[in-house]
């Protein structure tokens, strides 16, 4: 599955008639996720925040549960295929109502307040301006995509990872959110559909919160007793304290067909030989057989991993920043890898 063609991009204005809605109608939802769904691609629905939990210094897990109406029956489920995403929208005038910052996020606010204000200005400037798809709809909202990592069909709830960005409009709003608040979500948007045992190996290269879609896909494969695909997830973070879902990744290695490799680009090192790619500094901080490397993921790492597999026996999944995705694309193109998908 070669994905060199560009996917449509949402303008982030929270339009009811979104270009993603039009594109999504052309895509096939897996048959096991076809049925009465509380979500529809044409409308926003209310979900109540029921849980907030810190994951790293800047990343939080938030749980949202469907707010049922009198017309909603128990037969209607929350069906979200692994790897797909939802859109969260917020009114642009939300600041008109006093909303204090949640104390749970106060530590992040203190740390970011020490950062250079220039970085915040740069962050706001780099966001590209995307032409609206529906020019007839008033610009009353802004929206952002998030990928559920856990879906509870019984409770009709889902968990998402939220990374706060300095100067980010949605981040500023979510800093004021609390358990009990009701938000508007729309979906489901999906471009990748996994077929059981389609390849003998599935390899993921992810960076930061880009872990979410690949994690959810691999988690679902591990829960499928008839899927024997071997999985390898290469995750990239800045330091050991910034590793997202570290305990979950470690517990997944108990499965015979899952392997986790974690690369740290900025972890402090006290080794005498700085040129070494293997470092003993993390030995006391790693769990038994936990594969954490004190260096950034490099092309040699990608090549050594993928060259172990027979051609066309594996598929590669990629998710991260544009620079990270471009780096992985360059690596796999040199190896003539044709089966890959980027989120």
């Amino acid at each position: 599955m070669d994905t060199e063609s560009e996917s449509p991009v949402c303008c982030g204005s929270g339009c009811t008639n979104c270009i993603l809605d039009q594109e999504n109608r052309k895509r096939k939802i897996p048959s096991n996720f076809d049925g009465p769904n509380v979500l529809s691609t044409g409308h926003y629905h209310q979900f109540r925040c029921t849980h907030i939990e810190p994951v790293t210094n800047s990343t939080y897990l938030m749980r949202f549960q469907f707010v049922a109406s009198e017309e909603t029956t128990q037969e209607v489920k929350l069906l979200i295929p692994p790897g797909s995403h939802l859109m969260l929208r917020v009114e642009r005038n939300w600041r008109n109502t006093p909303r204090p910052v949640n104390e749970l996020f106060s530590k992040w606010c203190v740390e970011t307040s020490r950062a250079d204000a220039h970085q915040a200005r740069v962050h706001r400037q780099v966001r590209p301006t995307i032409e609206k798809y529906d020019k007839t709809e008033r610009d009353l909202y802004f929206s952002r995509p998030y990928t559920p990592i856990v879906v509870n069909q019984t409770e009709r709830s889902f968990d998402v990872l939220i990374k706060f960005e300095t100067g980010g409009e949605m981040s500023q709003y979510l800093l004021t959110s609390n358990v009990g608040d009701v938000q508007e979500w729309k979906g489901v948007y999906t471009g990748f559909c996994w077929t059981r045992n389609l390849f003998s190996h599935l390899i993921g290269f992810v960076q930061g919160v880009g872990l979410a879609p690949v994690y959810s896909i691999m988690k679902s494969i591990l829960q499928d007793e008839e899927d024997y695909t071997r999985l390898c997830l290469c995750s990239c973070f800045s330091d050991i304290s910034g590793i997202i879902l570290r305990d979950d990744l470690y517990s997944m290695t108990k499965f015979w067909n899952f392997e986790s490799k974690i690369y740290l680009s900025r972890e402090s090192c006290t080794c005498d030989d700085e040129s070494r790619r293997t470092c003993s500094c993390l030995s006391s901080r790693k769990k038994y057989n936990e594969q954490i490397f004190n260096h950034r993921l490099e092309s040699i790492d990608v090549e050594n991993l993928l060259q172990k597999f027979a051609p066309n026996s594996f598929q590669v999944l990629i998710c991260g920043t544009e620079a990270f995705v471009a780096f992985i694309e360059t690596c796999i193109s040199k190896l003539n890898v044709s089966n890959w998908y980027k989120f």
Side-chain angles (χ1 to χ4, degrees):
M1 183 186 299
D2 195 335
T3 58
E4 293 186 21
S5 58
E6 292 297 328
S7 300
V9 179
C10 174
C11 67
S13 297
C15 304
T16 301
N17 182 26
C18 179
I19 188 173
L20 295 181
D21 296 333
Q22 306 300 321
E23 185 67 20
N24 212 49
R25 294 191 181 100
K26 306 175 185 176
R27 294 170 175 165
K28 184 178 180 181
I29 300 293
S31 57
N32 54 325
F33 290 93
D34 187 18
N37 195 349
V38 300
L39 285 168
S40 68
T41 57
H43 302 87
Y44 280 91
H45 298 271
Q46 291 187 335
F47 286 77
R48 177 172 285 105
C49 179
T50 59
H51 180 74
I52 302 176
E53 175 186 344
V55 177
T56 68
N57 291 339
S58 61
T59 306
Y60 292 79
L61 182 146
M62 302 183 72
R63 181 171 301 136
F64 295 89
Q65 185 175 29
F66 177 66
V67 179
S69 62
E70 295 181 357
E71 294 78 17
T72 306
T73 63
Q74 290 298 323
E75 289 72 24
V76 180
K77 299 179 180 180
L78 178 63
L79 303 174
I80 305 176
S84 56
H85 71 271
L86 310 177
M87 298 296 294
L88 168 64
R89 80 171 181 180
V90 175
E91 292 183 0
R92 292 192 181 276
N93 64 353
W94 66 270
R95 289 185 176 85
N96 295 346
T97 304
R99 291 176 59 92
V101 173
N102 187 337
E103 292 185 0
L104 185 63
F105 308 129
S106 58
K107 182 179 179 181
W108 183 85
C109 294
V110 171
E111 291 181 354
T112 53
S113 66
R114 299 169 183 165
D116 187 358
H118 173 69
Q119 293 298 323
R121 291 194 297 270
V122 171
H123 178 80
R124 288 193 294 267
Q125 292 172 357
V126 297
R127 185 172 181 84
T129 301
I130 303 172
E131 186 177 358
K132 288 189 65 174
Y133 172 75
D134 187 357
K135 299 181 177 62
T136 63
E137 186 158 346
R138 296 179 62 189
D139 222 3
L140 302 178
Y141 302 89
F142 63 94
S143 62
R144 300 291 184 271
Y146 296 98
T147 298
I149 59 171
V150 175
V151 178
N152 188 323
Q153 293 189 6
T154 303
E155 299 293 334
R156 293 191 284 199
S157 66
F158 60 88
D159 295 356
V160 291
L161 294 171
I162 307 290
K163 177 174 172 52
F164 290 151
E165 300 286 355
T166 303
E169 191 171 16
M170 184 64 78
S171 296
Q172 295 299 312
Y173 169 78
L174 290 175
L175 285 172
T176 68
S177 61
N178 293 273
V179 170
D181 289 355
V182 175
Q183 318 289 2
E184 290 188 318
W185 292 85
K186 183 174 72 167
V188 174
Y189 302 108
T190 181
F192 177 84
C193 294
W194 172 252
T195 301
R196 178 189 294 164
N197 299 313
L198 180 61
F199 295 93
S200 59
H201 292 83
L202 184 65
I203 299 93
F205 295 102
V206 301
Q207 180 190 46
V209 289
L211 169 74
V214 181
Y215 167 86
S216 64
I217 291 169
M218 291 191 172
K219 190 81 171 179
S220 67
I221 293 175
L222 294 178
Q223 294 171 345
D224 184 352
E225 295 182 355
E226 298 183 16
D227 199 327
Y228 310 113
T229 307
R230 289 181 177 271
L231 312 172
C232 181
L233 180 57
C234 299
S235 310
C236 301
F237 305 99
S238 58
D239 52 41
I240 198 167
S241 64
I243 298 176
I244 299 174
L245 302 179
R246 181 182 177 186
D247 291 339
D248 294 76
L249 294 176
Y250 183 70
S251 64
M252 289 165 66
T253 59
K254 297 178 182 178
F255 288 84
W256 65 271
N257 57 334
F258 180 81
E259 182 180 17
S260 173
K261 297 176 180 288
I262 297 175
Y263 297 85
L264 307 178
S265 60
R266 299 179 184 174
E267 180 65 27
S268 59
C269 177
T270 59
C271 293
D272 296 332
D273 187 359
E274 297 182 356
S275 63
R276 294 192 307 176
R277 297 186 77 249
T278 57
C279 174
S280 59
C281 297
L282 295 177
S283 299
S284 61
R285 305 173 66 184
K286 292 194 295 185
K287 303 176 184 180
Y288 178 71
N289 280 341
E290 190 176 25
Q291 297 190 71
I292 299 181
F293 305 98
N294 200 2
H295 64 84
R296 68 173 62 250
L297 179 69
E298 299 175 353
S299 57
I300 187 65
D301 302 304
V302 179
E303 294 172 6
N304 288 341
L305 175 61
L306 298 184
Q307 286 177 343
K308 296 190 301 183
F309 308 121
N312 298 319
S313 69
F314 64 94
Q315 184 172 22
V316 173
L317 303 182
I318 314 169
C319 191
T321 63
E322 291 185 8
F324 177 81
V325 172
F327 161 68
I328 299 298
E329 286 181 333
T330 300
C331 293
I332 63 178
S333 64
K334 292 180 179 179
L335 299 174
N336 295 318
V337 175
S338 57
N339 301 311
W340 58 276
Y341 184 93
K342 64 178 178 180
F343 293 89

